[in-house]
Amino acid sequence: MKKMKKLLALLLALVMAASLAACGPSEESDPTGSPAASGQPEQSQQVTASKDGVVAPITPEELGSGTVKWSEEKTADGWYKVTNQGGATLGYSKDSGVSLIQVDGFAFKDLDRDGVLDGYEDWRNTDEVRARDLASQMGVDEMTPLFTHGGWRSFGSTIEGDDLTYVQEGGRGGVTRSAINEGNTTMAVDWTNALQALCEGTGSWGIPATISVDPSHISNTIDQNSLAATMSKDEAFALGVEHGKQYRAVGVTMLLGPQIGIGTQPTMTRATGTFTEDPALGRDLADAYISGLQSTFDESGSDLGWGEDSVYAIAKHYVGDGAPEGGRNDHMDAGKFDVFPGNNFAAHLIPFHDGAFNLSMSSTKECGVMPNYAISYSRDGSLGELVGGGYSTYKMDFLYDNDYQGFILTDWQITNDGQQCFGVEDLTMTERFAELYKSGCHQIGGTADNAAAEGYELVVDELGEEEALKILRNAVYHFVLSQFQCGLYENAYISLDNAIDTVWNNDTDAAAKEQQLKSVIMLKNSGSVIAQGSGEGKTVYVPYQFTPASEGSNASSGSTAASWKPVVDLEAAAKYFTVVTDTLKDPSGEPDEDGNPTYTENDIVRATAAQVGACDLILMHMDAPNQDSAQDEEGNWLPASLQYGEYTADNARRESLAGTVTTETVNDGYYGTKSQDVKENRSYAGNTVGRDKNYAQLELLQYLNGIKGGAKIVVMMSKASGPSVMVWSEVEPLADAILFYYGSTSWFFEESLLDIVSGKVEPSGLLPFQMPASMDAVEAQDEDVPRDLECYKDADGNVYDFTFGLNWSGKISDERVTTYSAEPLTTPATIEFHYAE
């Protein structure tokens, strides 16, 4: 029955697309409005389509004849720009073999080089018409490579190696992180244009490349936890708009994000990648950010729908990845199970169905989605088969049963042998591809393997050629539709001048700093240490921190030499305060491999207690503790920890909820041998994890507390990765003021923190997660339930609960707090929830 529903939904989508082609553009079929309203000229020839959606081609007029409504110029970047009067702006490379054709005085790109204007080449048609026309004409061998989404590797001015082969074989989707990094802007433009020219001239259809990227700190913009700390839909929308412009400026047209699953497990390893633990806040931020990211806006701020500044969002991870048992990372076998002891699976659907798939601030309506790696564990089958998200009939059917029409891109490498093909380890790679075709996925992430073609043949063998072809065409339709929506078939090329004006410059730094300031949370402010103008004329002590040498985590990362560094940048601090600090001596350690002496813990002369005590403030920058739950060398599971000191999990669950079930043969001594199912126990109860790697920072804080005299200690706590929370009992009693922020010193400006410490800017951030009273409180909560922790209470009587934060006047109590401190939502409002049959 479920398979039939899915096939019916697939057929309905295809029929709708075909009917749109047959009807031609209209206000009803075009979500951006009529052709005139969307800036597109009326067509003089009626769009007609065959039953399968192929639009009848139009014979062009002689190029340059009659009333010419277009002009052409060569850009400084080498590609040609074509401007149509009141119509689409085109970009193409004359080296690609693509030429222009003219219809009704307008210019179009003859992408398939057949001398006529095909439906998919006609920018006057709707995106759906064009996508259906293209997908309906392609052969199987041309379509199966489009079922893969790999990774671009040849970042440079030429495309070579694996990337060249991938494009030549028909692949067009790939992820890169190089294009968005500071210092890479010029190269990103050269590389993007070279890649798009190659794609334009390779194959029969001129299909462009989709360049995707994971959520990033492009131009030092804030991360998702930071955005959640603002608790502002307006801030989320504005950041989405800005990210759309910035990503497009360096060639990116698809974001593998945002991560919108609610992080309800306090030790969740990937929590800093998501927004919050609260369903309502997650819903609103997903809606606002994706709306800003996907729509293009004119100078007056009017929503133009899909356009030149649009980036296609792939919301992730669908669904339940915020409830991993042990908080473990689902990129590895350790994190293969999500658990729901509070029967709260439905709440995890809210940011998706009520937010990302129901956009209220954008005419793009909904975004793409990425199924999660892990298995949603249930003993009674209520959450479906014990397989990962992309393979889950329950999860995929849930999308289709609720009329989801967007693009479905799987997480990376789930067809490969290894750690991410959870629940389907016994299948071959080819069989996994076949299962993903049938489940309704449109593209497989992290692979460029020709097993996509072999998997399709297995679907033919099982379901027949006609049904298999419908599945494949539907997958290709959704991928190329995402490209049409972003305008890639008109112009996939980018400009260096625009890129330089848009990313990594003084203007973007100023904007990023404003975002950062709004995300900082003041948790403690005893005696109003931080107040308006409180830093004027103050003297501060900035201690040095020793970092021992360390070996790299892998062969490419290398080792790091021991070092002494001030905990706050001295030059930055001197702009606000008179600074007292320690004296660093010459390094006295054994020479390194290059013969240079190295630092030891003895190579420092600390400021005296009298010098420190005479200061007004002591500034202490710290990195929040976190240790993942992993196995030791003997195979014992160790607990995750959110504190600096060692932790023994005396009160943890003795039997893990989830575990792999294997069949073992046993001899009971009476009736002989028999087979029985045995569930793996992943519990870490009673086991101990040692000190956090940043324990020396706590020791330094303890030392400072002992010599502070009359100085007040201000702790600036960074949470850059891992879980989004920590246990404060080791730190809070030693601090007079605490600023907490989600960020890394690699991109979060020191001045953003010092503006607040000095009383120049009032803090306004709020906690998007509860802060646990202890590790025992963490063990007592249900992994799938938000805001069910016993929260930490500090020396001033403040409870570090969800929505807590201080400003100069005390505890913040505004509309944000009123809105989001309501009881957590438990089920989506826009759909009817059901468990698996």
Side-chain angles (χ1 to χ4, degrees), residues 493-506:
Y493 298 90
I494 57 176
S495 156
L496 179 58
D497 286 344
N498 179 62
I500 290 174
D501 288 343
T502 306
V503 300
W504 297 111
N505 56 50
N506 291 337

PDB file of all heavy atoms in Angstrom, residues 493-506:
ATOM      1  N   TYR A 493      27.567  31.764 -14.694  1.00  0.00           N
ATOM      2  CA  TYR A 493      28.874  32.402 -14.550  1.00  0.00           C
ATOM      3  C   TYR A 493      28.823  33.523 -13.516  1.00  0.00           C
ATOM      4  O   TYR A 493      27.758  34.089 -13.244  1.00  0.00           O
ATOM      5  CB  TYR A 493      29.339  32.949 -15.900  1.00  0.00           C
ATOM      6  CG  TYR A 493      29.519  31.862 -16.929  1.00  0.00           C
ATOM      7  CD1 TYR A 493      28.462  31.488 -17.760  1.00  0.00           C
ATOM      8  CD2 TYR A 493      30.732  31.188 -17.064  1.00  0.00           C
ATOM      9  CE1 TYR A 493      28.608  30.468 -18.700  1.00  0.00           C
ATOM     10  CE2 TYR A 493      30.895  30.173 -17.999  1.00  0.00           C
ATOM     11  CZ  TYR A 493      29.828  29.813 -18.802  1.00  0.00           C
ATOM     12  OH  TYR A 493      29.976  28.803 -19.719  1.00  0.00           O
ATOM     13  N   ILE A 494      29.998  33.837 -12.938  1.00  0.00           N
ATOM     14  CA  ILE A 494      30.050  34.857 -11.891  1.00  0.00           C
ATOM     15  C   ILE A 494      31.129  35.882 -12.202  1.00  0.00           C
ATOM     16  O   ILE A 494      32.011  35.660 -13.040  1.00  0.00           O
ATOM     17  CB  ILE A 494      30.286  34.234 -10.493  1.00  0.00           C
ATOM     18  CG1 ILE A 494      31.566  33.390 -10.469  1.00  0.00           C
ATOM     19  CG2 ILE A 494      29.088  33.401 -10.085  1.00  0.00           C
ATOM     20  CD1 ILE A 494      31.898  32.838  -9.083  1.00  0.00           C
ATOM     21  N   SER A 495      31.048  37.010 -11.483  1.00  0.00           N
ATOM     22  CA  SER A 495      31.911  38.157 -11.738  1.00  0.00           C
ATOM     23  C   SER A 495      32.850  38.392 -10.569  1.00  0.00           C
ATOM     24  O   SER A 495      32.422  38.409  -9.408  1.00  0.00           O
ATOM     25  CB  SER A 495      31.038  39.398 -11.968  1.00  0.00           C
ATOM     26  OG  SER A 495      31.739  40.584 -11.696  1.00  0.00           O
ATOM     27  N   LEU A 496      34.120  38.614 -10.875  1.00  0.00           N
ATOM     28  CA  LEU A 496      35.097  38.884  -9.826  1.00  0.00           C
ATOM     29  C   LEU A 496      34.783  40.204  -9.116  1.00  0.00           C
ATOM     30  O   LEU A 496      34.884  40.291  -7.888  1.00  0.00           O
ATOM     31  CB  LEU A 496      36.511  38.922 -10.406  1.00  0.00           C
ATOM     32  CG  LEU A 496      37.632  39.222  -9.398  1.00  0.00           C
ATOM     33  CD1 LEU A 496      37.654  38.202  -8.270  1.00  0.00           C
ATOM     34  CD2 LEU A 496      38.980  39.272 -10.100  1.00  0.00           C
ATOM     35  N   ASP A 497      34.410  41.219  -9.868  1.00  0.00           N
ATOM     36  CA  ASP A 497      34.100  42.508  -9.241  1.00  0.00           C
ATOM     37  C   ASP A 497      32.958  42.360  -8.232  1.00  0.00           C
ATOM     38  O   ASP A 497      33.023  42.895  -7.119  1.00  0.00           O
ATOM     39  CB  ASP A 497      33.717  43.543 -10.303  1.00  0.00           C
ATOM     40  CG  ASP A 497      34.913  44.033 -11.097  1.00  0.00           C
ATOM     41  OD1 ASP A 497      36.056  43.818 -10.653  1.00  0.00           O
ATOM     42  OD2 ASP A 497      34.711  44.624 -12.174  1.00  0.00           O
ATOM     43  N   ASN A 498      31.909  41.632  -8.613  1.00  0.00           N
ATOM     44  CA  ASN A 498      30.788  41.435  -7.699  1.00  0.00           C
ATOM     45  C   ASN A 498      31.210  40.614  -6.485  1.00  0.00           C
ATOM     46  O   ASN A 498      30.789  40.904  -5.362  1.00  0.00           O
ATOM     47  CB  ASN A 498      29.639  40.732  -8.422  1.00  0.00           C
ATOM     48  CG  ASN A 498      28.461  40.482  -7.511  1.00  0.00           C
ATOM     49  OD1 ASN A 498      27.849  41.397  -6.986  1.00  0.00           O
ATOM     50  ND2 ASN A 498      28.144  39.201  -7.295  1.00  0.00           N
ATOM     51  N   ALA A 499      32.037  39.595  -6.708  1.00  0.00           N
ATOM     52  CA  ALA A 499      32.487  38.754  -5.593  1.00  0.00           C
ATOM     53  C   ALA A 499      33.287  39.568  -4.588  1.00  0.00           C
ATOM     54  O   ALA A 499      33.088  39.454  -3.363  1.00  0.00           O
ATOM     55  CB  ALA A 499      33.316  37.591  -6.120  1.00  0.00           C
ATOM     56  N   ILE A 500      34.187  40.413  -5.070  1.00  0.00           N
ATOM     57  CA  ILE A 500      35.012  41.224  -4.170  1.00  0.00           C
ATOM     58  C   ILE A 500      34.144  42.208  -3.396  1.00  0.00           C
ATOM     59  O   ILE A 500      34.392  42.492  -2.210  1.00  0.00           O
ATOM     60  CB  ILE A 500      36.103  41.958  -4.975  1.00  0.00           C
ATOM     61  CG1 ILE A 500      37.139  40.935  -5.475  1.00  0.00           C
ATOM     62  CG2 ILE A 500      36.779  43.028  -4.134  1.00  0.00           C
ATOM     63  CD1 ILE A 500      38.179  41.516  -6.406  1.00  0.00           C
ATOM     64  N   ASP A 501      33.109  42.727  -4.048  1.00  0.00           N
ATOM     65  CA  ASP A 501      32.210  43.675  -3.376  1.00  0.00           C
ATOM     66  C   ASP A 501      31.274  42.991  -2.375  1.00  0.00           C
ATOM     67  O   ASP A 501      30.680  43.670  -1.528  1.00  0.00           O
ATOM     68  CB  ASP A 501      31.347  44.409  -4.416  1.00  0.00           C
ATOM     69  CG  ASP A 501      32.136  45.416  -5.226  1.00  0.00           C
ATOM     70  OD1 ASP A 501      33.244  45.795  -4.788  1.00  0.00           O
ATOM     71  OD2 ASP A 501      31.669  45.812  -6.310  1.00  0.00           O
ATOM     72  N   THR A 502      31.137  41.652  -2.464  1.00  0.00           N
ATOM     73  CA  THR A 502      30.100  40.949  -1.712  1.00  0.00           C
ATOM     74  C   THR A 502      30.628  40.151  -0.542  1.00  0.00           C
ATOM     75  O   THR A 502      29.939  39.986   0.470  1.00  0.00           O
ATOM     76  CB  THR A 502      29.307  40.017  -2.660  1.00  0.00           C
ATOM     77  OG1 THR A 502      28.829  40.777  -3.765  1.00  0.00           O
ATOM     78  CG2 THR A 502      28.127  39.373  -1.949  1.00  0.00           C
ATOM     79  N   VAL A 503      31.845  39.608  -0.640  1.00  0.00           N
ATOM     80  CA  VAL A 503      32.368  38.732   0.420  1.00  0.00           C
ATOM     81  C   VAL A 503      33.703  39.236   0.936  1.00  0.00           C
ATOM     82  O   VAL A 503      34.458  39.902   0.234  1.00  0.00           O
ATOM     83  CB  VAL A 503      32.513  37.276  -0.070  1.00  0.00           C
ATOM     84  CG1 VAL A 503      31.181  36.709  -0.510  1.00  0.00           C
ATOM     85  CG2 VAL A 503      33.521  37.173  -1.221  1.00  0.00           C
ATOM     86  N   TRP A 504      33.969  38.921   2.199  1.00  0.00           N
ATOM     87  CA  TRP A 504      35.273  39.127   2.832  1.00  0.00           C
ATOM     88  C   TRP A 504      35.836  40.532   2.609  1.00  0.00           C
ATOM     89  O   TRP A 504      36.923  40.711   2.062  1.00  0.00           O
ATOM     90  CB  TRP A 504      36.273  38.075   2.338  1.00  0.00           C
ATOM     91  CG  TRP A 504      35.916  36.680   2.696  1.00  0.00           C
ATOM     92  CD1 TRP A 504      35.526  35.692   1.835  1.00  0.00           C
ATOM     93  CD2 TRP A 504      35.898  36.078   4.002  1.00  0.00           C
ATOM     94  NE1 TRP A 504      35.259  34.532   2.506  1.00  0.00           N
ATOM     95  CE2 TRP A 504      35.485  34.728   3.847  1.00  0.00           C
ATOM     96  CE3 TRP A 504      36.193  36.554   5.284  1.00  0.00           C
ATOM     97  CZ2 TRP A 504      35.352  33.868   4.918  1.00  0.00           C
ATOM     98  CZ3 TRP A 504      36.054  35.677   6.358  1.00  0.00           C
ATOM     99  CH2 TRP A 504      35.640  34.355   6.163  1.00  0.00           C
ATOM    100  N   ASN A 505      35.101  41.543   3.052  1.00  0.00           N
ATOM    101  CA  ASN A 505      35.586  42.914   2.950  1.00  0.00           C
ATOM    102  C   ASN A 505      35.196  43.692   4.210  1.00  0.00           C
ATOM    103  O   ASN A 505      34.586  43.136   5.134  1.00  0.00           O
ATOM    104  CB  ASN A 505      35.054  43.591   1.682  1.00  0.00           C
ATOM    105  CG  ASN A 505      33.540  43.576   1.591  1.00  0.00           C
ATOM    106  OD1 ASN A 505      32.851  43.953   2.537  1.00  0.00           O
ATOM    107  ND2 ASN A 505      33.011  43.130   0.448  1.00  0.00           N
ATOM    108  N   ASN A 506      35.531  44.952   4.259  1.00  0.00           N
ATOM    109  CA  ASN A 506      35.264  45.753   5.463  1.00  0.00           C
ATOM    110  C   ASN A 506      33.779  45.859   5.763  1.00  0.00           C
ATOM    111  O   ASN A 506      33.365  45.853   6.933  1.00  0.00           O
ATOM    112  CB  ASN A 506      35.873  47.149   5.304  1.00  0.00           C
ATOM    113  CG  ASN A 506      37.397  47.135   5.325  1.00  0.00           C
ATOM    114  OD1 ASN A 506      38.007  46.211   5.865  1.00  0.00           O
ATOM    115  ND2 ASN A 506      38.013  48.141   4.744  1.00  0.00           N
TER     116      ASN A 506
END
